[in-house]
Amino acid sequence: MRAIQVEEYVKGPQDLTVTDLPDLTPSPDTYVIAIHAAATNFFDLLQIRGKYQHQPPLPWIAGAEFAGVVLSIPSSKKTTRFKKGDRVFGSSQGGYAMQVCANEESLMPVPPGWGFLEAAGLMVTAPTGYAALVLEARVRKGEWVLVHAAAGGVGLAAVQIAKAFGATVIATVGSNRKLEVAKEFGADYTIDYNKEGWTEEVKKLTPNGRGVDVVFDPVGMVNMSLKCTAWGGRIVIVGFAAGNIEKVAMNRVLLRNISLLGLHWGSYTKEAPELVGKVWEGLFLLIKEEKFKGTVYTDREFRGLGTVSRALGMLERRETWGKAVVSVPQVAESKL
């Protein structure tokens, strides 16, 4: 099979190469999936440089999010959730390849009517947005929600989820194209957070200038968000895409009775496994009701494993929106 194998840490995605490897030999408790689409993530950029908190022993295959078809089922199980030929999406180390091994807990069925490209980007962003807004912030109909980096994969998921629960959404982004995208996915108002005074602009949009009820922050903008959060509001911290860990002005938090909430979706499997199924149940319902759609970046096509480096490079330079997803033909690509 073809795959992007990391034999030594690289300076950047431009150094990644596609190579021929033997087909996978699964352990008795794993599935083998033929990958038809692979999604890119910021943590891939850290991992290929050896800077991520989870580093497999060298050599290893890069990538983690994918969608495809079940080739084989676990030999150790009498009954399995999926059968050969089923269309699935999931997350497992080795997503930038033609095949990947995955356990049952890391796989989900591709929603009816969805393609592999749309499904490949669901496993990380969608449940992050749902758990943050529904479980942690407990967003309610009629509330005002501020979504930062709203044109990113997790941001577009949050915009759609907040709207589905009856909230008014203010989206902050960093370019004119991303303003358009956030609007297309349902944001009621859009603001460029590169402009001075954007927090005042947020407040002016809300009733009586009181500020927003909920802030969804995957960037690291808590201190600025405190200036436009209503008394008794909630700020959910889901990441630090800006690269800095903030020192928060806790006096403002106290004086305005604001709740700071952290959300690390990956820890739910260990700490609250009973909630994982409920999150996916809620998401699949939104998909069935057509209140949630795929967030695939469509301004440019990435076809073949040889385009992974280009997709990751554009992701790193903030040139994409939504999820940059690479289609993976199940034949040897003739030109890489």
Side-chain angles (χ1 to χ4, degrees), residues 219-238:
V219 180
M221 299 177 68
V222 173
N223 279 313
M224 292 297 292
S225 299
L226 286 170
K227 298 178 181 180
C228 56
T229 302
W231 188 94
R234 294 94 74 200
I235 298 177
V236 192
I237 303 153
V238 299

Side-chain angles (χ1 to χ4, degrees), residues 31-36 66-73 80-89 104 107-111 116:
Y31 291 81
V32 175
I33 311 301
I35 295 177
H36 287 258
F66 57 85
V69 175
V70 175
L71 288 180
S72 68
I73 62 175
T80 59
R81 181 181 182 186
F82 304 105
K83 63 182 184 300
K84 289 177 65 174
D86 281 353
R87 300 164 74 247
V88 297
F89 67 92
E104 193 161 278
L107 296 173
M108 288 286 167
V110 172
F116 291 120

Side-chain angles (χ1 to χ4, degrees), residues 254-327:
L254 183 150
L255 292 172
R256 305 215 24 96
N257 258 44
I258 292 172
S259 299
L260 299 182
L261 304 162
L263 186 284
H264 178 218
W265 171 244
S267 66
Y268 270 66
T269 302
K270 178 182 178 181
E271 303 294 342
E274 71 281 1
L275 295 178
V276 173
K278 292 182 179 179
V279 167
W280 282 111
E281 182 181 343
L283 281 168
F284 282 128
L285 179 60
L286 293 185
I287 290 171
K288 182 179 180 181
E289 295 175 345
E290 298 184 348
K291 294 178 179 178
F292 190 98
K293 62 182 180 180
T295 61
V296 181
Y297 173 73
T298 55
D299 291 356
R300 184 171 185 170
E301 181 183 16
F302 303 104
R303 180 173 175 80
L305 292 171
T307 65
V308 166
S309 59
R310 185 186 310 157
L312 283 172
M314 291 181 66
L315 176 69
E316 186 167 40
R317 295 189 298 272
R318 307 296 199 273
E319 295 173 359
T320 62
W321 52 263
K323 292 287 290 191
V325 181
V326 177
S327 65

Side-chain angles (χ1 to χ4, degrees), residues 164-184:
F165 278 80
T168 299
V169 175
I170 303 174
T172 68
V173 294
S175 72
N176 289 334
R177 176 64 181 125
K178 291 179 179 180
L179 289 170
E180 296 173 355
V181 170
K183 274 280 190 182
E184 290 170 6

Side-chain angles (χ1 to χ4, degrees), residues 56-195:
L58 294 167
W60 45 270
I61 298 173
E65 254 191 313
F66 57 85
V69 175
V70 175
L71 288 180
S72 68
I73 62 175
S75 59
S76 63
K77 295 186 177 183
K78 293 183 179 180
T79 59
T80 59
R81 181 181 182 186
F82 304 105
K83 63 182 184 300
K84 289 177 65 174
D86 281 353
R87 300 164 74 247
V88 297
F89 67 92
S91 180
S92 185
Q93 185 67 54
Y96 295 150
M98 294 179 69
Q99 298 177 7
V100 68
C101 289
N103 59 41
E104 193 161 278
E105 293 72 27
S106 64
L107 296 173
M108 288 286 167
V110 172
W114 280 48
F116 291 120
L117 287 176
E118 292 78 16
L122 267 178
M123 199 68 178
V124 174
T125 56
T128 296
Y130 193 97
L133 291 173
V134 180
L135 298 187
E136 298 296 336
R138 301 183 184 277
V139 66
R140 297 183 293 272
K141 183 178 181 179
E143 291 193 311
W144 287 69
V145 176
L146 176 63
V147 178
H148 290 309
V154 71
L156 289 177
V159 167
Q160 295 182 84
I161 292 163
K163 288 298 298 178
F165 278 80
T168 299
V169 175
I170 303 174
T172 68
V173 294
S175 72
N176 289 334
R177 176 64 181 125
K178 291 179 179 180
L179 289 170
E180 296 173 355
V181 170
K183 274 280 190 182
E184 290 170 6
F185 278 79
D188 297 284
Y189 303 95
T190 55
I191 294 174
D192 186 338
Y193 52 48
N194 292 313
K195 295 181 179 179

